[in-house]
Amino acid sequence: MEEVQNFFNLVLKKFVCLESLSPGQKQTLISLQHVPLDSYTIIGLRSISPEFSIPKNATMKFVESLEQYIKFQKKIATITSKAGVPAIYYDILAWDMGH
């Protein structure tokens, strides 16, 4: 389940970059995106979300249920909402900081 969701989220993240989309279409797609949950995005939550009990070496396989997936997405949405940015920006930040 998680692999399919992550694949779809990664495809959608790149799809938004198509030049043929209007700014409005891009905004709509950005607002609908979930954050791909990989080691970078999950580890990024480790220090700010102790309630998730995330181990230091967590990978995408750490998320084992739809309920857990939804909790992670909601937490990221809360954080990014406070920053005034779309949730997908968390993924960009987590990836950039990890590389």
Side-chain angles (χ1 to χ4, degrees):
M1 175 183 74
E2 180 63 27
E3 290 85 9
V4 172
Q5 289 169 328
N6 274 335
F7 180 72
F8 178 77
N9 292 329
L10 289 169
V11 168
L12 191 55
K13 182 178 164 186
K14 294 299 180 186
F15 185 73
V16 171
C17 297
L18 289 175
E19 292 181 18
S20 60
L21 295 175
S22 72
Q25 290 170 321
K26 289 181 181 189
Q27 273 307 114
T28 298
L29 289 174
I30 288 170
S31 71
L32 296 172
Q33 288 181 353
H34 284 197
V35 174
L37 298 176
D38 59 18
S39 60
Y40 296 98
T41 55
I42 293 170
I43 296 297
L45 289 174
R46 187 171 181 271
S47 63
I48 58 174
S49 302
E51 70 273 17
F52 292 150
S53 301
I54 300 170
K56 290 180 183 178
N57 60 347
T59 66
M60 65 190 293
K61 294 191 184 293
F62 178 73
V63 180
E64 297 179 329
S65 69
L66 181 58
E67 179 184 3
Q68 190 181 24
Y69 176 88
I70 291 169
K71 285 181 182 180
F72 276 52
Q73 294 295 331
K74 284 184 179 181
K75 182 63 147 184
I76 292 168
T78 298
I79 293 165
T80 56
S81 176
K82 288 179 183 177
V85 297
I88 196 64
Y89 284 29
Y90 174 84
D91 176 66
I92 295 165
L93 178 64
W95 178 261
D96 288 349
M97 290 185 71
H99 289 89

